[in-house]
Amino acid sequence: MFDTLKARNSPTAKCNAQILRFERQEKNTVSDRYIMPGSPCSSCSARSKAICAGLSDDEMDGFSRNIRTRLIKAGNSIYREFEKANYFYTVVSGEIRLANLLGDGRRQLTAFKSAGDLLGEHNGGIYQSDAEAVCDAVVCQIPIKILEKYTNEVPAMRVTLNTKMQNELCDLRHHAILLGRKTPIEKIATFLTARSENCEWSDDDKAEVVLTMGRSDIADFLGLTIETVSRTITKLKNMGLLLVPTSHSIVITDQACLKRLAENEQ
């Protein structure tokens, strides 16, 4: 860990390859990251998918007294890698990216988190990644000790947490396969297919995938360059599988073919 921190402060070695570097903000301003007035948890749109989904009304009343709601402006952090871990977070709305910064400034995104997802992976009391808002996002801030208390005392929350941990491990395994073995066209097809799972499909079998993130985020998530992402999307468009109305909107026009591409079945 200390070697990595030292490398971040040292000059980058000369390299013939073009490297996209990212710099972290030291702190967010008060207007970018602040505590919002709490609203009743019973009206929370993410509750059915969140860690607290299985709590009774009485249990939820006690749990809600210990949490705070925060608005995170786009591009700002919830927490940073190597910071002391004091809280878990549930995404209420918006989207959060988890990322790790290499010593030379390159970045690897490991996940995008949306409503109902749990954030706050830590080891030895230290956060293991950066958590940043892709767009304006709202999160619930849960003290670690409170979450531990409720998962120990309330079986329903313990079951929900175990399920989320299992899903997280499954997603990480699939992502490792994607990074290590798939071609660029398979990576983009896999990414869009996964994003379309929560979309509404029209009668003519089309679905609009809204991308809150830019091409650089997609590239860093899939282990590609921005240019490769753009070329591959254009290739899929020319194949008749996609329409690209805007840079943040992609319409899937042939779901079956896109899925076959994602699994290298054609």
Side-chain angles (χ1 to χ4, degrees):
M1 181 184 80
F2 294 108
D3 290 342
T4 304
L5 287 171
K6 187 183 296 182
R8 292 178 183 182
N9 296 323
S10 64
T12 304
K14 291 184 178 179
C15 178
N16 292 327
Q18 183 179 7
I19 296 176
L20 186 62
R21 293 175 172 81
F22 291 84
E23 294 184 357
R24 291 174 170 154
Q25 295 177 319
E26 290 300 322
K27 294 182 179 179
N28 294 331
T29 63
V30 173
S31 61
D32 288 330
R33 185 170 71 171
Y34 64 94
I35 304 297
M36 297 175 62
S39 58
C41 290
S42 59
S43 64
C44 175
S45 60
R47 181 179 173 183
S48 62
K49 298 179 286 186
I51 188 71
C52 54
L55 296 182
S56 67
D57 290 342
D58 288 342
E59 291 166 341
M60 192 68 232
D61 184 54
F63 184 71
S64 64
R65 293 194 186 101
N66 296 283
I67 64 177
R68 296 291 183 271
T69 305
R70 289 172 53 184
L71 170 64
I72 313 296
K73 290 290 189 177
N76 286 282
S77 68
I78 303 174
Y79 55 81
R80 292 296 189 187
E81 184 181 8
F82 304 130
E83 280 185 359
K84 182 179 178 181
N86 294 312
Y87 303 98
F88 280 102
Y89 299 87
T90 291
V91 183
V92 177
S93 64
E95 193 156 14
I96 306 297
R97 59 180 172 243
L98 300 183
N100 292 90
L101 198 63
L102 304 182
D104 59 7
R106 288 176 295 170
R107 183 181 65 159
Q108 176 65 56
L109 266 62
T110 56
F112 292 103
K113 298 294 186 179
S114 55
D117 288 336
L118 187 68
L119 312 173
E121 174 198 2
H122 60 275
N123 185 26
I126 302 297
Y127 288 123
Q128 298 299 293
S129 64
D130 295 344
E132 302 168 331
V134 179
C135 54
D136 286 358
V138 175
V139 298
C140 275
Q141 177 178 284
I142 310 168
I144 289 176
K145 291 184 178 180
I146 295 300
L147 187 61
E148 290 175 346
K149 176 181 183 294
Y150 273 79
T151 52
N152 287 332
E153 297 178 359
V154 183
M157 181 172 276
R158 183 164 60 250
V159 170
T160 302
L161 178 61
N162 287 338
T163 300
K164 286 185 175 295
M165 291 173 62
Q166 290 170 2
N167 291 339
E168 180 87 5
L169 289 172
C170 186
D171 290 343
L172 289 172
R173 181 174 63 83
H174 288 153
H175 193 55
I177 294 171
L178 177 148
L179 290 174
R181 305 304 298 175
K182 292 195 173 187
T183 65
I185 197 167
E186 290 168 354
K187 290 180 177 182
I188 295 293
T190 300
F191 176 74
L192 294 176
T193 297
R195 301 283 300 189
S196 71
E197 290 180 355
N198 296 322
C199 294
E200 293 185 6
W201 292 84
S202 62
D203 294 336
D204 55 354
D205 199 32
K206 293 181 180 179
E208 181 183 11
V209 178
V210 177
L211 302 174
T212 57
M213 72 292 294
R215 296 291 189 263
S216 62
D217 279 353
I218 297 173
D220 288 346
F221 180 64
L222 299 177
L224 301 171
T225 64
I226 299 173
E227 294 77 12
T228 299
V229 169
S230 297
R231 284 197 304 268
T232 305
I233 290 175
T234 299
K235 183 176 182 179
L236 291 171
K237 177 183 175 183
N238 292 338
M239 291 170 64
L241 306 184
L242 307 176
L243 298 174
V244 188
T246 70
S247 60
H248 288 278
S249 174
I250 291 179
V251 177
I252 298 175
T253 56
D254 193 333
Q255 180 189 25
C257 186
L258 194 67
K259 284 185 176 180
R260 289 196 296 272
L261 275 177
E263 299 302 326
N264 192 24
E265 294 179 353
Q266 66 176 33

